[in-house]
Every structure is written in structure tokens, then in C-alpha cells.
Amino acid sequence: MWPTSISLIVLEAFVAAFGLFFNSYILVILFWQKRFHNVHNLLLLHLAIVDSLFCLNILFGNTSLGLTIGDHFDHIDDYLSANHSQTLYLLVLQAQGFIWTLLPIIFIWTLFGLTWDKYIAISSPFCYSSLINSKKALIFIVTTWSFAIIICVSPSLGECLYIYSIHRSTSSISCDISASSKKEFTLFFIIIYFLFSFIIPLTAIIVCNFRILLIAQDHRTRITSSLIEIIQRSQLDLPLNKDYLNCKKSWNAFLPISQLIGSLILFALPYYLIFFIESLNFAFQLPSFIISMSTLCLCFIPTTNAYIYGVQSKTLRNTLKSLIMRYLYKQNVSYEIDRRLSIRSHSSLVNLNRFPRRYTYPILASISQPKLNTDLTGSHYDKFYRC
């Protein structure tokens, strides 16, 4: 049945390569600019680093494990039983599953941080510096990593495991509430993981973006009414096109918001929803094709994040253009300086060869200097007044 394990590995690697390329574009601009005191740049740098690590995990972790294990076993135990290095493979699977589970939580919460920063800048622009700064952004990043690590370490307690799945071509978290000895604890962990990993940050992102749209619409309505009032008071015969003033340009603001929220719902929701269904062990069995496609969709998130916040960002494009122009200007200036110095040195050598240096004695103070004749009498007086 398509996609097979090899086909899924190739598709995941192809998507991860694009995501790594786009995130490298963001990293090059931010490290070249060297302005990390800005909260937006700090969170964007963190998002690009986490997305790049996730892409590298796909390129090296998923690819190496998939090609090593192959497409012949439905479970990893069959492969480990035929191998002598079981401990090493188990450690590799645990580490790869831990990274695969940890990084999506981090970049989803980082997206919430970027959305919250934008919301505060729009809703409270005069209190922005007191509400959000670089120190609070660093505290947010450290707190997110701490809670995500605690959640991802919890499967080591034995209730949930990191298991390699052929349909996902990776090692991921797996919980089975029916086979667990502590069903209440396993159910609590499944709910906390599902809520903290996806539902809470997605809800917060939707609410913040909805509030931003309401604020933008309110400001636009006020500006439109003010313009209409000014035109009416001026008593000018200007055509008022109210359809233009209340036009469909609000979709231009709705488009990037729908891209961000739509990408999370389209690419991340199926993966977490399938985990929730499999963990609760419902009666029906999901097809392997759906499981494979949900994993492939999760690999698209770093690419979409880099596209929305990097490729589509006019600020980053203008910053890259100014940095390139500054670099070319410095190169031209240094080239012109070197050229002029070389011409000067060459002309000085030519002059030295053409006119050899004359060695003269220094002027001594004892040498008598010619004195000016200040005597204006006699013949000198007559010469001075002679017409």
C-alpha cells in the first residue's frame, strides 16, 4: 500500500530540506543584522533554530532509522530480536522519539509567543516596553523548554513508550490506556499532553488573532468616518465612494492570519488527533495511509513557519537588501582605497626613478642670513620716490 516506508522517508526528507533552506534564510539575515535585543527578532531566531533542528532530525534521524530498519517489519521488536546490539538501538530510538516529541511543542508555543508580541504591540502600543521586553521573552523561552522537557520525560516512567512505527518511519510517543496498570495516570498524561502540546497554544493564537482583527476593523472604521466627516465639513464636491472605504481590502489583513492558523490546523491537528485516538484505544482501527499522511503533514510545519515569517516578511526582505547594499558599498570603498593607494605608490616610485633625491646640507643657525636694507636715505630714497 502506498506510501511505503521508503516513499514516506523520501517525501519527509524532501520537505525537511525545503524547511531547512527557508529557515537558513531567516538565520542568515538575523545573524548578519545582529539585533537580538528586539523581542520579535529574538522569538523569530528561536523559532528558526527549533525548526532547523526539527528538519535536521528528519533528515538524519528518520532517514537513517528508516533505511536501517527497512520496510519488512511491523514492529521494532522483530528487528531487535534479530540483532545483537539491542541496547544501542533502544537508546537511539528513545533519543529520536524524545526529540521528535519535544521540538513540535517548542515551535508551536514559539508561534504563540510571536502572536502575543504582535497583539500587545497593536492593542497597547504605549505600554509595550513595560509589558514585553527581552528579559521576559527569555523567561518565556526557558519556561517553554522546561515544561516541554518535563512532559517528554514522563514516558520514561513506564506508562507510555517511544516506539518506532513503520507507518510513521520514526520513533514517536505511544500510550495504550487499556494495557496500562495505572489507567488514571495514563489518561491524565494523555489529556495533559494533548492540551499542552496543541490545544492550548492553538486556542490562544486564534483568540489573539481574532482580537487583532477586531482592533484593526475598529481603527479602520474610525478613520473612515473621520475622513467622511472632514470631506462633508469642507463642503467640497468630492465623490464619496463608500464601497471603496468599506471595501474588501480587509482580506489583505486576514490572509496572513488565516495562513498561520490554517497551517497549524491542517498540518498539526491530524497528528495530535490520531495520537489521542490511538491512545484511548477506540474500537475502530485507523488506516496506515492516514497515519503516514499525518506524520508527513507534521513535517510541513517548519516550512510553512519559515515561509510565513521569512519569505513573506517585507521587513526581512528590506533588511536583506540593505545589508547586501551595505556590504557591496564597503567592498567598493575598500577597492577604491586600494586602487588609489596603489596608483599613489606607483607614481611615487616613478618620480623617484626619474628625479633622484638630492642630498643637501641642513641649514645651520650659524650661517649668516642676508639682511634687508632699511636705509631709505640718499640714492635709495630717490629711487623709492622716483616716478
Side-chain angles (χ1 to χ4, degrees), residues 45-101:
L45 175 66
H46 180 254
L47 178 65
I49 291 174
V50 175
D51 286 342
S52 300
L53 291 176
F54 188 73
C55 292
L56 290 174
N57 183 41
I58 295 172
L59 288 173
F60 295 100
N62 294 14
T63 304
S64 59
L65 283 177
L67 295 178
T68 302
I69 295 173
D71 197 12
H72 305 288
F73 306 99
D74 294 332
H75 200 269
I76 188 60
D77 293 337
D78 299 330
Y79 181 75
L80 294 179
S81 61
N83 243 291
H84 299 288
S85 55
Q86 296 186 10
T87 306
L88 179 61
Y89 273 103
L90 287 175
L91 290 176
V92 171
L93 290 176
Q94 293 294 319
Q96 205 268 344
F98 176 81
I99 296 173
W100 176 268
T101 307

Side-chain angles (χ1 to χ4, degrees), residues 104-105 107-113 115-116 140 144 147 151 188-209 261 264-265 268-269 272:
I105 302 175
F107 61 64
I108 290 176
W109 275 100
T110 307
L111 291 175
F112 162 72
T115 307
W116 179 255
F140 169 76
T144 303
F147 277 100
I151 288 179
F188 176 76
F189 173 76
I190 293 170
I191 294 175
I192 291 297
Y193 173 76
F194 185 64
L195 291 177
F196 180 80
S197 302
F198 185 72
I199 297 299
I200 294 177
L202 178 64
T203 305
I205 290 172
I206 293 174
V207 171
C208 289
N209 283 298
I261 299 175
L264 285 176
I265 295 175
L269 180 60
Y272 288 101

Side-chain angles (χ1 to χ4, degrees), residues 135-297:
K135 184 178 180 181
K136 293 182 180 179
L138 288 174
I139 293 174
F140 169 76
I141 292 172
V142 172
T143 305
T144 303
W145 276 92
S146 302
F147 277 100
I149 289 173
I150 290 173
I151 288 179
C152 294
V153 168
S154 299
S156 62
L157 299 176
E159 299 302 324
C160 297
L161 300 173
Y162 291 117
I163 298 176
Y164 184 86
S165 174
I166 292 295
H167 306 307
R168 291 190 173 94
S169 72
T170 184
S171 178
S172 59
I173 188 171
S174 177
C175 300
D176 191 359
I177 192 171
S178 61
S180 176
S181 58
K182 302 177 182 178
K183 295 184 178 180
E184 293 80 6
F185 176 78
T186 305
L187 180 62
F188 176 76
F189 173 76
I190 293 170
I191 294 175
I192 291 297
Y193 173 76
F194 185 64
L195 291 177
F196 180 80
S197 302
F198 185 72
I199 297 299
I200 294 177
L202 178 64
T203 305
I205 290 172
I206 293 174
V207 171
C208 289
N209 283 298
F210 182 71
R211 288 288 302 163
I212 290 172
L213 283 177
L214 290 180
I215 293 171
Q217 186 67 26
D218 180 58
H219 289 180
R220 190 174 181 276
T221 304
R222 290 182 181 182
I223 293 172
T224 303
S225 60
S226 300
L227 289 175
I228 294 174
E229 185 178 356
I230 290 171
I231 294 173
Q232 289 176 351
R233 286 185 178 183
S234 62
Q235 296 180 356
L236 297 176
D237 296 333
L238 296 177
L240 284 178
N241 191 354
K242 295 184 179 180
D243 294 333
Y244 176 76
L245 294 175
N246 299 316
C247 62
K248 302 177 182 179
K249 288 188 176 181
S250 58
W251 287 100
N252 296 333
F254 182 74
L255 183 60
I257 295 175
S258 62
Q259 287 177 351
L260 176 62
I261 299 175
S263 63
L264 285 176
I265 295 175
L266 181 62
F267 296 135
L269 180 60
Y271 179 83
Y272 288 101
L273 192 61
I274 287 175
F275 162 78
F276 188 74
I277 293 173
E278 288 181 341
S279 300
L280 295 181
N281 196 11
F282 288 107
F284 61 92
Q285 185 71 25
L286 292 172
S288 59
F289 175 78
I290 301 297
I291 298 174
S292 301
M293 292 307 298
S294 66
T295 307
L296 181 62
C297 288

Side-chain angles (χ1 to χ4, degrees), residues 112-146:
F112 162 72
L114 287 168
T115 307
W116 179 255
D117 174 69
K118 182 179 179 181
Y119 170 71
I120 295 298
I122 293 176
S123 62
S124 304
F126 298 106
C127 303
Y128 176 80
S129 58
S130 61
L131 294 176
I132 294 181
N133 50 38
S134 301
K135 184 178 180 181
K136 293 182 180 179
L138 288 174
I139 293 174
F140 169 76
I141 292 172
V142 172
T143 305
T144 303
W145 276 92
S146 302

